[in-house]
Amino acid sequence: MINRNPQLDENGVLQHLLTTEGLPASVLLHILDTAESFVGVTERDVKKIPLLRGKSIFNLFFEPSTRTRTTFEIAAKRLSADVFNLNIAVSAQSKGETLLDTVNNLSAMNADMFVVRHAQSGAAHLIAKHVQPDIHVINAGDGSHAHPTQALLDMFTIRRYKSDFRNLRVAIIGDILHSRVARSQIHALTTLGVPEVRVIAPKTLLPKMVERLGVHVYHDMAKGLKDIDVLMMLRLQNERMKGANLPSPEEYFKYYGLTPEKLSLARRDAIVMHPGPMNRGVEIDSEVADGKQSVILPQVTFGIAVRMAVMSILAGNQV
Amino acid sequence: MKIHIKNGRLIDPKNGIDAVQDIFIAKGKIVAIGAAPDEFQASRVIDAQSLVVCPGLVDLSVRLREPGLEYMATLESEMAAAVAGGVTSIACPPDTDPPLDEPGLVEMLKHRAKSLNQANVYPIGALTQGLKGERLTEMAELNDAGCVVFGQPDGLLPNLRVLMQAMLYASTFGFSVWLRPQEITLTGDGVAHDGEVATRLGLLTVPVCAETIAIGNIILLTKETGVRVHLCRISSAEGLAMIRSARQQGLPITCDVSINHLHLSDMDIGFFDSNCHLMPPLRSSSDRDALRHGLLDGTIGAICSDHAPVDEDAKLLPFGQSEVGATGVELLLPLTLKWGSEMRLPLLNVLSKITSDPARILGIDAGHLSLGSAADICIFDPDHYWKVTSSAILSQGKNTPFMGMEIPGGVKYTLVNGHIVYEH
């Protein structure tokens, strides 16, 4: 049976950030606007504000990650929260404790917020469904399902460089099939009114009926990149490079890797994004990654402000 | 014990009866219908006014979880659940631990079940030793021990060479072979139908061709070997169409559908509801609609519960890691009635799908109310609606996608061999 969107309470107020799907544009824009006010903080000498003083935030990473975990940690600390990092991949789970047992134990330590990464799609939803109502859950990536803060920082970046979502053509390029980032980007872009979102990939890297998400499907970079304003590259996982999905990283680079030549097919003022970490020479050429159309490093900086915004909004939205 | 069931609406699909008539039972058998036999002194009279009296239900797939999986459910709990659902004959898949591949195990299960004096248990023998798909089981010996049919129900089909030999061997003795069509190399680690929902949720998928390729192979092997084949748990419109045309060619193939696939689609997964983690996966709504019509035209011979009680912790996991299955034996009658009323069918036709038709597929003398037959009877109130809750369900498994729903059909009495084994 379909329930109410589990991220929102009965008044439509954000309680958890689990996915960008189903969130109204007003909620997404509120997060982006709030992040705008935090960008200044990250540029000051004293980078702390006391919004989350006394709050306990647990980073629950059931899957290894350095970058995302670190940016969440920095964001929480800049808001003066107490941050606890749990690398669960090597602790409780290996002793046979279930996901919900781990969460219940930490809840008993008066957690206010969980930042969760897990290899299984739906893990963050499961936790959000079972925590006490005053605890907030942020999905930092679940399986191939969603990575909403990444998508939001991407939206923030696009808004910084391109004025209006409503006259953009955006292309997402690479392993859509396994990408939680791509799914969250697609929902965020369509919700914010981007009229044309394209996905470009070989057929082995596209999920079935992906067009139902509101995207146009291309298999050819030359056609797919025409008139594009924003290129969102995806990371190709090492284990997918040789096998049943793709024959070799070389062949992939030849047909789908972003080179200066391929980039020249897009609009002249197009920006290039990547969620990191990059495989140079596989999905993107160094000349493009470090080139003047690249906004990959600003994405990382904005990521902190966006995560600060999400945390402060959730902490402020008490039940 | 002599029992007189009076004033009930007797519905007996096999004999084409739908009329208010009394039934008289003595020594475990039906001794008269309509007028009482001479000098019949009932020791118990059941007034079935405004109730339906029909043959005890025959369920083609109920996992009792014994031997070996008692942490999920026990024979006691699941047999009690079965009769509470009006089910008096159950076929049990061999995927226990150890699997039902030795006569001793089957005898033990039959003996345990018999001592409980509830529903009749018909174990499905393992087609291959350990269900590993390598060596044939002693089918004739297993048949002597009580196995009526043979199968590989977890979808792990043997390689085609072994499967062909197993089918030939089974046909030697006239046994039918029960298979859930699944090409495992296409299923892989998939947990959901390859469609829009899995794409949105980022779940690993099971394409429809995992079912149709297996059905295609099985149809060709049926032609080759001449064995009677029953295909368990059809999930797709395409697979159904293949079976329909094979039947039109006169091949001895039957199939069934589960109550879950009859009413649900992948949309019901919603936000990762692990109660909808089923195998085969819930498919699209057009697949579901095709299955609902496949029953109507007779391509699908029976509805089964595909009862699979799971312990609660095993469902409190992310969707892909949660245990497969749903409890269902108590929902078989209500969800069949629900299908029937939604399709505007007469009760006589509806009830055949859970009584006489599955009995014929299983090859047992049950599912009808003929004179002289064993008095396996279900008496229910068709107008009683009840809510599916943990406490309303007797099965040890509380996992079902229908939790919280109001469904029709309240069982009042269940009789097995003329004994009242359930009374509500």
Side-chain angles (χ1 to χ4, degrees), chain B residues 264-347:
Chain B
L264 306 173
S265 73
D266 58 349
M267 289 294 288
D268 291 291
I269 294 172
F271 300 104
F272 303 99
D273 180 0
S274 61
N275 284 323
C276 290
H277 184 191
L278 303 169
M279 270 301 143
L282 294 172
R283 296 208 180 272
S284 70
S285 52
S286 57
D287 288 308
R288 179 197 55 197
D289 294 345
L291 296 172
R292 290 164 74 87
H293 285 91
L295 265 170
L296 205 59
D297 71 20
T299 306
I300 303 177
I303 305 172
C304 71
S305 69
D306 199 20
H307 181 72
V310 167
D311 74 311
E312 199 181 345
D313 285 348
K315 283 288 185 186
L316 284 176
L317 288 170
F319 192 91
Q321 288 178 326
S322 64
E323 188 87 40
V324 170
T327 194
V329 72
E330 292 157 88
L331 308 178
L332 177 63
L333 174 67
L335 292 171
T336 300
L337 294 175
K338 183 173 157 65
W339 164 76
S341 75
E342 285 162 1
M343 305 292 281
R344 299 171 186 280
L345 298 173
L347 265 185

Side-chain angles (χ1 to χ4, degrees), chain B residues 365-411:
Chain B
D365 180 21
H368 58 88
L369 299 175
S370 311
L371 276 180
S373 66
D376 293 351
I377 296 173
C378 167
I379 303 174
F380 67 94
D381 180 352
D383 301 318
H384 174 75
Y385 276 73
W386 57 284
K387 189 170 179 177
V388 184
T389 60
S390 296
S391 54
I393 289 179
L394 298 187
S395 165
Q396 200 167 313
K398 307 299 182 187
N399 50 300
T400 164
F402 299 97
M403 191 58 74
M405 271 182 67
E406 297 264 347
I407 52 178
V411 175

Side-chain angles (χ1 to χ4, degrees), chain B residues 33-355:
Chain B
I33 291 168
D38 294 342
E39 294 172 35
F40 188 89
Q41 282 288 342
S43 48
R44 174 83 191 261
V45 177
I46 293 172
D47 187 358
Q49 178 80 47
S50 77
L51 302 178
V52 170
V53 179
C54 73
L57 314 187
V58 180
D59 192 337
L60 295 184
S61 182
V62 175
R63 285 177 179 78
L64 298 170
R65 300 301 195 194
E66 281 198 35
L69 304 167
E70 291 85 354
Y71 64 96
M72 289 178 172
T74 62
L75 218 54
E76 282 83 358
S77 65
E78 302 321 291
M79 298 280 280
V83 292
V87 176
T88 57
S89 296
I90 52 187
C92 310
D95 53 352
T96 47
D97 183 18
L100 299 177
D101 62 355
E102 283 185 22
L105 288 166
V106 174
E107 279 160 12
M108 193 176 72
L109 177 63
K110 288 280 282 188
H111 178 75
R112 277 263 290 139
K114 203 168 173 117
S115 69
L116 291 173
N117 215 3
Q118 291 186 311
N120 301 303
V121 168
Y122 297 95
I124 301 170
L127 191 67
T128 59
Q129 291 181 29
L131 298 172
K132 287 187 183 137
E134 290 159 9
R135 299 168 61 189
L136 308 188
T137 50
E138 297 168 329
M139 291 183 215
E141 296 268 342
L142 284 164
N143 179 248
D144 289 342
C147 291
V148 286
V149 299
F150 296 88
Q152 291 279 118
D154 58 357
L156 288 174
L157 297 180
N159 72 47
L160 295 175
R161 176 103 212 150
V162 175
L163 182 57
M164 185 171 84
Q165 297 300 335
M167 291 165 89
L168 271 175
Y169 191 73
S171 78
T172 308
F173 297 92
F175 304 144
S176 61
V177 171
W178 287 28
L179 301 167
R180 183 160 80 67
Q182 168 176 255
E183 172 51 49
I184 196 77
T185 57
L186 286 166
T187 300
D189 296 324
V191 295
H193 169 60
D194 199 7
E196 186 183 348
V197 173
T199 289
R200 274 180 38 237
L201 297 180
L203 293 172
L204 293 173
T205 59
V206 182
V208 166
C209 63
E211 178 166 294
T212 50
I213 285 174
I215 290 175
N217 284 339
I218 293 168
I219 288 173
L220 293 171
L221 289 173
T222 305
K223 251 184 213 168
E224 183 71 28
T225 62
V227 74
R228 268 185 299 129
V229 168
H230 179 66
L231 293 168
C232 310
R233 307 323 91 72
I234 297 306
S235 72
S236 68
E238 257 185 88
L240 185 69
M242 292 169 77
I243 296 167
R244 184 175 289 125
S245 89
R247 283 169 59 85
Q248 281 161 0
Q249 290 172 42
L251 289 176
I253 296 178
T254 52
C255 66
D256 67 51
V257 64
S258 86
I259 48 174
N260 303 306
H261 293 79
L262 193 56
H263 289 287
L264 306 173
S265 73
D266 58 349
M267 289 294 288
D268 291 291
I269 294 172
F271 300 104
F272 303 99
D273 180 0
S274 61
N275 284 323
C276 290
H277 184 191
L278 303 169
M279 270 301 143
L282 294 172
R283 296 208 180 272
S284 70
S285 52
S286 57
D287 288 308
R288 179 197 55 197
D289 294 345
L291 296 172
R292 290 164 74 87
H293 285 91
L295 265 170
L296 205 59
D297 71 20
T299 306
I300 303 177
I303 305 172
C304 71
S305 69
D306 199 20
H307 181 72
V310 167
D311 74 311
E312 199 181 345
D313 285 348
K315 283 288 185 186
L316 284 176
L317 288 170
F319 192 91
Q321 288 178 326
S322 64
E323 188 87 40
V324 170
T327 194
V329 72
E330 292 157 88
L331 308 178
L332 177 63
L333 174 67
L335 292 171
T336 300
L337 294 175
K338 183 173 157 65
W339 164 76
S341 75
E342 285 162 1
M343 305 292 281
R344 299 171 186 280
L345 298 173
L347 265 185
L348 190 73
N349 302 17
V350 173
L351 290 174
S352 71
K353 301 297 181 188
I354 49 177
T355 57

Side-chain angles (χ1 to χ4, degrees), chain A residues 55-111:
Chain A
K55 300 280 185 196
S56 299
I57 296 178
F58 284 79
N59 277 331
L60 303 183
F61 279 67
F62 296 86
E63 191 183 71
S65 153
T66 322
R67 282 167 59 110
T68 304
R69 203 205 64 212
T70 306
T71 55
F72 270 106
E73 185 176 348
I74 293 169
K77 285 182 169 164
R78 291 204 174 144
L79 293 167
S80 310
D82 298 320
V83 185
F84 305 91
N85 290 315
L86 283 95
N87 192 357
I88 305 184
V90 293
S91 64
Q93 294 260 299
S94 55
K95 293 174 192 157
E97 190 175 75
T98 70
L99 175 59
L100 288 180
D101 280 340
T102 305
V103 168
N104 287 335
N105 279 316
L106 296 171
S107 302
M109 298 175 200
N110 295 319

